[in-house]
Amino acid sequence: MKNLITGNSFLAFGVILAAGISTASADERAITYTEDIAEILFDKCSSCHNPDGIGPMSLLSYEEVRPWAPLISYKVEQQEMPPWHLDKTVGIQDYKNDVSLSAEQIAKVVSWVENGALQGDPSLMPSQPELPDAGQWQLSSQLGEPDFVVKSPPYTVSANAQDQWWVRNTSFEGLIDEPRYVRATELKGSYPLGVKVLHHGHAQLRSSDNQGNRASGPVGRQGVGKGGDVFPDGTGMLIYPSGSINWNLHYFPINEVVYDEQAEAAVWLYPKGYTPEFQTRGEQFFAADSGPGGLWANDLLLPPNSIKSMQGVRVLNRPALITSFRPHMHMRGKAQSLEAVLPDGSREMLARVDRYDHSWQINYEFGEDVAPLLPAGTMLMITSTWDNTADNPNNPDHRQWVVFGQRGVDEMSHLWLGITYLNDDQFEQLKAERSARLTAASGE
Ligand code: HEC
């Protein structure tokens, strides 16, 4: 190890130059944990890699980090960690919740490890990061306490089994006394074990009032790596005082029985009497409903040892603003993209995930000024690619035929879109507001 440390310092210097980092200090001295790396890990890893987090190990001190250094370098260089699986070469690149490392940060981590993963001067260690409290609502720091919380019926998750899921309804009564607009929602497993077993889930509310008006939409959708949903300012989801919640929860066992697990969904409302300008029905299920092969259920068939792509389209019959993109396939899933073919015939790649990993259900939230604002008649094209070969490390068995199904070893293809449908005036208004912002920002 000693030899490696001293022998490699020259090499590390070369890597830094190649990556174009030009700060004098980093060129002149070795990269060290306390001075260079700790702040990157605190900022980009510690929210999960802490004793209470979903990461398998804590990364809060040199002692904790050092044994993992080679694997950290590998995962960071492969862009598997932090979990952000977008293809950075195509499509929209500005996201509100981007947790990925910059090219410079990646180069720094890699060269630090090549250089022997030195600790450096302990007195230069940055102060410990503030850690999220896994028992708290993540959105409460931004929005305060929720207006109400609903709980799923209890379910005992066995210690060792295949993944498990169920669907059941609970009633929704007495939590609001008049029609209200939802501002934000968040769904999570209970603390401390439920948060670890809940892989993804939905709490879909169907509500009505006594005049027969009805509305349906999610009071929470969860997935590993996905946070709560906050609608853009002035956008809300209408709910009525009575109805039922359809719970659809999917668990992965964790080697330990989790008794009577109850997932919880929190809802933040707009003030009473407020009618938002834009109405949404929340994050929506989105599969192609036409086109070659379609993409749902019966068409899905993967031969053993094959790579296969399928494509399907869906036409927007009204203008829409798309605020987020969350791909969903299972263990053979490799890539999924969303493209728009506009009524003028032009075609635009909106977003593509090229390192899909079913362990993660990441919601990619578009930056405000780049969120796709699409006219009526736009065709949305979904392309899914599966790798059912032995080269796919997530593939449990490349000798199997794979068909559609709910289990992780079966396959699926759909995505979840944060979408707000607009009327023509709203569409023109949002377009004008955006171009005014962009003009102002460009200093004209
Ligand atoms: C959103 C939560 C989250 C963030 C942020 C995150 N990780 Fe992870 N990490 C996990 C989870 C969960 C796993 C285990 C599942 C997996 O590998 O996907 C993991 C696995 C790993 C592993 C592999 C461990 C093993 O035994 O195979 C390494 C190394 C790692 N993370 C390093 C990092 C580094 C370095 C960062 C920051 C640059 C980071 N992670 C950011 C949650 C996270």
Side-chain angles (χ1 to χ4, degrees):
M1 215 39 172
K2 272 262 145 57
N3 285 346
L4 244 178
I5 291 170
T6 46
N8 267 356
S9 55
F10 184 67
L11 221 181
F13 183 69
V15 170
I16 298 165
L17 286 184
I21 296 171
S22 56
T23 56
S25 56
D27 280 354
E28 284 157 11
R29 57 172 179 78
I31 294 181
T32 65
Y33 172 74
T34 54
E35 208 166 344
D36 307 283
I37 302 302
E39 66 178 345
I40 299 177
L41 303 191
F42 285 179
D43 189 29
K44 301 284 187 166
C45 323
S46 69
S47 60
C48 299
H49 289 278
N50 69 66
D52 232 11
I54 61 170
M57 68 287 191
S58 174
L59 295 176
L60 293 174
S61 66
Y62 183 70
E63 290 67 31
E64 286 177 344
V65 169
R66 182 64 188 88
W68 294 97
L71 195 55
I72 288 174
S73 172
Y74 176 80
K75 292 273 178 185
V76 160
E77 197 176 19
Q78 297 295 311
Q79 296 182 51
E80 288 174 20
M81 282 288 147
W84 186 259
H85 304 136
L86 272 187
D87 183 341
K88 290 204 171 181
T89 66
V90 292
I92 293 168
Q93 294 298 330
D94 174 17
Y95 292 85
K96 287 183 187 165
N97 59 334
D98 190 343
V99 293
S100 64
L101 297 180
S102 66
E104 279 129 273
Q105 288 175 317
I106 294 173
K108 245 188 198 180
V109 171
V110 169
S111 74
W112 170 66
V113 175
E114 273 177 357
N115 194 24
L118 302 175
Q119 178 172 19
D121 180 352
S123 72
L124 297 175
M125 182 73 175
S127 51
Q128 286 287 307
E130 211 171 291
L131 298 174
D133 179 343
Q136 290 293 319
W137 300 105
Q138 300 301 302
L139 290 180
S140 62
S141 57
Q142 184 184 339
L143 300 172
E145 285 310 300
D147 290 281
F148 63 83
V149 172
V150 287
K151 285 189 175 191
S152 72
Y155 179 87
T156 295
V157 183
S158 17
N160 291 295
Q162 284 202 329
D163 43 332
Q164 298 155 37
W165 68 92
W166 53 266
V167 178
R168 259 196 284 169
N169 292 319
T170 53
S171 78
F172 177 80
E173 302 293 339
L175 289 165
I176 51 173
D177 50 17
E178 58 181 271
R180 294 290 296 270
Y181 283 93
V182 173
R183 165 108 181 81
T185 62
E186 185 176 335
L187 172 64
K188 65 179 176 66
S190 67
Y191 180 75
L193 293 180
V195 289
K196 299 194 174 175
V197 283
L198 184 59
H199 182 262
H200 60 272
H202 309 281
Q204 178 82 4
L205 172 66
R206 294 191 189 94
S207 63
S208 59
D209 65 4
N210 48 20
Q211 276 126 50
N213 295 308
R214 290 172 186 283
S216 81
V219 287
R221 296 202 196 284
Q222 186 272 357
V224 180
K226 173 185 181 298
D229 293 289
V230 186
F231 301 133
D233 280 342
T235 302
M237 181 179 82
L238 179 62
I239 58 174
Y240 291 109
S242 78
S244 69
I245 298 175
N246 180 259
W247 297 89
N248 181 334
L249 301 175
H250 200 134
Y251 296 104
F252 272 90
I254 50 164
N255 252 328
E256 184 177 348
V257 184
V258 182
Y259 293 99
D260 292 332
E261 162 56 11
Q262 287 186 280
E264 301 171 17
V267 174
W268 288 261
L269 299 169
Y270 280 107
K272 269 192 180 185
Y274 172 81
T275 305
E277 196 175 354
F278 301 98
Q279 299 209 7
T280 183
R281 287 172 51 213
E283 198 194 29
Q284 295 289 310
F285 174 87
F286 209 86
D289 54 9
S290 66
L295 277 179
W296 188 238
N298 301 335
D299 297 310
L300 218 165
L301 181 65
L302 309 181
N305 206 31
S306 68
I307 289 177
K308 184 163 175 177
S309 291
M310 289 173 85
Q311 209 164 44
V313 301
R314 189 147 150 181
V315 178
L316 292 177
N317 55 16
R318 281 177 289 163
L321 174 70
I322 296 184
T323 48
S324 63
F325 158 70
R326 184 158 67 100
H328 187 86
M329 297 179 282
H330 288 176
M331 290 169 174
R332 276 84 173 183
K334 182 177 168 60
Q336 194 174 65
S337 67
L338 179 66
E339 287 169 87
V341 180
L342 297 160
D344 68 5
S346 61
R347 180 168 165 174
E348 208 180 310
M349 173 64 79
L350 302 179
R352 176 169 192 265
V353 155
D354 62 347
R355 286 162 280 124
Y356 182 79
D357 177 347
H358 183 50
S359 308
W360 294 96
Q361 301 295 308
I362 299 163
N363 192 31
Y364 300 93
E365 300 173 27
F366 296 111
E368 193 182 0
D369 285 331
V370 294
L373 188 52
L374 303 169
T378 299
M379 188 169 84
L380 286 178
M381 188 181 324
I382 305 169
T383 308
S384 297
T385 302
W386 294 269
D387 182 349
N388 190 24
T389 72
D391 291 342
N392 175 356
N394 301 324
N395 191 348
D397 190 348
H398 64 281
R399 300 161 304 179
Q400 302 283 335
W401 285 86
V402 181
V403 296
F404 171 84
Q406 302 282 337
R407 303 177 304 169
V409 295
D410 305 320
E411 269 306 331
M412 276 199 185
S413 170
H414 61 261
L415 47 87
W416 295 90
L417 284 187
I419 187 164
T420 302
Y421 288 101
L422 308 166
N423 63 33
D424 292 338
D425 291 344
Q426 292 172 325
F427 175 71
E428 291 305 331
Q429 177 196 335
L430 286 182
K431 230 168 76 171
E433 283 171 12
R434 178 177 293 186
S435 85
R437 276 199 307 273
L438 294 176
T439 309
S442 71
E444 285 170 32

